[in-house]
Amino acid sequence: MKKPFYMFRYFSFIAIICSLLGSLLLFFIGAWKTYNAIKILFFDYIPKGSEHLHYTDIATIYIMKSLDTFLIALAFFIFAYGIFALFISNKNDIEDKGVLKWISIPNIEHLKTVLARVIIIILFVIFLEIIIENINDLKWEFLIIPISVLLFALGLKFLKSDKEEH
């Protein structure tokens, strides 16, 4: 009965390959956004709908959007590596060669925690983007994102402290 489960784990390659392709695509998109920030700053390119902002603010927004995109790309990469490490690889092969030792995903709970932390950072960057884009027209509704970040971080903290008690 073990053999079908052992063979079925290779279906996780679908998630690994799709996550790596998504990560690669997002790295290209992040580079494109950085290129647009350079165009705005050095070649006086102003995108439609952003005429009300100073060109340095527009460039800053594009740089922040590229940072956000790169963070999501890294989250996809970490997810792909985590799935590979948990379901496909031989643990001894990874540890012996020191491959991507900085990620170190010992279990699925650790992978979820790492991804949750990345999501908190992404939400914070999105909040900064919204504030810069709407600096002259701030509304109370903009507080939804930082409150969400706070609640998400508190929930993560309580889940972690609950795990430590057991």
Side-chain angles (χ1 to χ4, degrees):
M1 188 65 189
K2 265 181 154 179
K3 189 164 177 125
F5 283 104
Y6 182 77
M7 296 303 293
F8 193 75
R9 72 187 180 132
Y10 289 108
F11 279 104
S12 62
F13 268 123
I14 296 168
I16 293 167
I17 291 168
C18 290
S19 293
L20 286 175
L21 289 173
S23 177
L24 185 63
L25 178 64
L26 286 169
F27 275 116
F28 283 121
I29 292 170
W32 182 257
K33 289 177 183 180
T34 303
Y35 168 74
N36 282 332
I38 292 168
K39 266 187 3 183
I40 290 166
L41 201 58
F42 294 112
F43 302 109
D44 296 328
Y45 167 72
I46 304 294
K48 285 186 177 182
S50 300
E51 294 85 7
H52 66 286
L53 295 171
H54 192 268
Y55 71 97
T56 56
D57 291 335
I58 300 170
T60 302
I61 291 168
Y62 271 82
I63 290 292
M64 290 178 71
K65 287 182 180 193
S66 71
L67 171 68
D68 193 32
T69 305
F70 287 134
L71 284 171
I72 296 169
L74 286 172
F76 272 81
F77 179 76
I78 291 169
F79 175 76
Y81 179 75
I83 296 298
F84 175 77
L86 291 173
F87 293 102
I88 303 293
S89 75
N90 182 351
K91 301 288 183 208
N92 295 331
D93 288 345
I94 291 176
E95 291 171 7
D96 290 343
K97 296 177 185 173
V99 176
L100 300 178
K101 213 172 197 173
W102 57 274
I103 295 178
S104 179
I105 307 290
N107 56 41
I108 197 79
E109 190 64 37
H110 182 69
L111 177 61
K112 290 185 329 188
T113 303
V114 168
L115 292 175
R117 289 177 180 166
V118 171
I119 289 169
I120 290 171
I121 294 169
I122 290 168
L123 286 173
F124 182 72
V125 171
I126 289 171
F127 172 67
L128 289 177
E129 288 174 25
I130 290 171
I131 292 301
I132 291 173
E133 285 177 351
N134 299 292
I135 195 72
N136 296 325
D137 188 30
L138 295 178
K139 298 176 183 161
W140 286 105
E141 292 86 17
F142 295 152
L143 291 177
I144 291 172
I145 294 177
I147 291 170
S148 305
V149 169
L150 179 65
L151 292 174
F152 194 56
L154 285 172
L156 190 62
K157 173 77 172 145
F158 288 134
L159 284 174
K160 187 175 180 184
S161 65
D162 185 43
K163 296 264 186 230
E164 290 171 357
E165 290 176 6
H166 292 104

